[in-house]
Amino acid sequence: MIKLKNLNKSFRTGDIETLALNGISLEINAGDFVAVMGPSGCGKSTLLNLLGMLDTPNAGDYFFDGENISDYHESQLTAIRKRNIGFIFQSFNLIDELTVEENIELALLYHKISTKERRLRVREVMDKVGIGHRAKHMPSQLSGGQQQRVAVARAVVGRQRLILADEPTGNLDSTHGADVMDMLQALNDEGTTVVIVTHNAAHADRARRIINLFDGSIVAENKKAA
């Protein structure tokens, strides 16, 4: 699904240039469950943003489904992203003025599907993540765990092939964090490719592969035996 070759990413602030990713080479196959770990500032979120086509590399190649997309312009990347990738963020990023079901349905508005099909999918995914009884509630009326369930539902309602999750349990207690990991593991068991950034070793251990970053470089990779 994904192949990165010698990917570099740097950021400039005034006269200071910071190398966030340095020579990243990595393959992620369809159906993988990958955890990315490392200390704060090592490039984990930068890598996830590049994988999700929310940012572009300064050098190197990014192949998605065999196509080198490194030099694609934003409209091309957006089209690929909408068809294939769902995002789960630590901060939930729900819209306060919309109900639970409206927040989830928002992810489908740019897909060419009927209103009836959209609402059917929303109901199905709400039931799947156990939030259906809160469909008409506003985000402010939900607990942190419930809000993250909505964020998971929004990420998967479009039936994307790849889920990218940036510290998806960072704002949750241990019980709700485990619930979110259970949902991600269930999605992976059904064939969805999952990549998570996490500081939690127990959550990383749910993955089939653990990639360790340090100072923008991959320093170790562990694979579980099949």
Side-chain angles (χ1 to χ4, degrees), residues 17 21 33 36 38 114 119 131 139 151 153 183 218-219 226:
E17 186 172 40
L21 294 176
F33 190 163
V36 181
S114 68
R119 290 175 180 168
I131 203 73
M183 285 187 278
I218 295 175
V219 295

Side-chain angles (χ1 to χ4, degrees), residues 89-92 148 166-173 177 197-198 203:
F89 300 101
Q90 179 178 346
S91 57
F92 314 141
Q148 192 61 303
D166 193 358
E167 296 283 1
T169 64
N171 285 328
L172 305 177
D173 59 35
V197 162
T198 183
H203 292 168

